[in-house]
Amino acid sequence: MTMTSARPTTPGAPTPIAWSAVQAGVWVGKRNGEFAGMIEASAGSRYVATTGLARPLGEFASLAEAKSSFVAQ
């Protein structure tokens, strides 16, 4: 299992999301222990990001871009 955070914590900034690979092509993010969303690899080397409330954030060309789409959430 791999865990990464979106960015370092700075005063006043939202808590980073910790990402875990739960199976091949699926990553689950948690913020403060709560489900923040997930990213799924799709056909054509795209990554689909969905919030913890099942709101689609879009399709991205890289995993890093998909993770970054959660920063504003």
Side-chain angles (χ1 to χ4, degrees):
M1 174 168 40
T2 304
M3 296 189 71
T4 60
S5 59
R7 63 182 182 187
T9 303
T10 57
T15 304
I17 295 175
W19 291 99
S20 300
V22 294
Q23 69 181 42
V26 179
W27 295 264
V28 171
K30 289 189 177 185
R31 178 183 281 137
N32 296 326
E34 298 289 326
F35 177 64
M38 66 184 250
I39 299 170
E40 293 180 272
S42 67
S45 300
R46 305 293 288 174
Y47 297 86
V48 179
T50 308
T51 70
L53 298 175
R55 192 180 112 230
L57 293 174
E59 260 187 57
F60 303 90
S62 71
L63 180 58
E65 287 177 18
K67 287 179 180 180
S68 292
S69 71
F70 287 85
V71 172
Q73 302 304 311

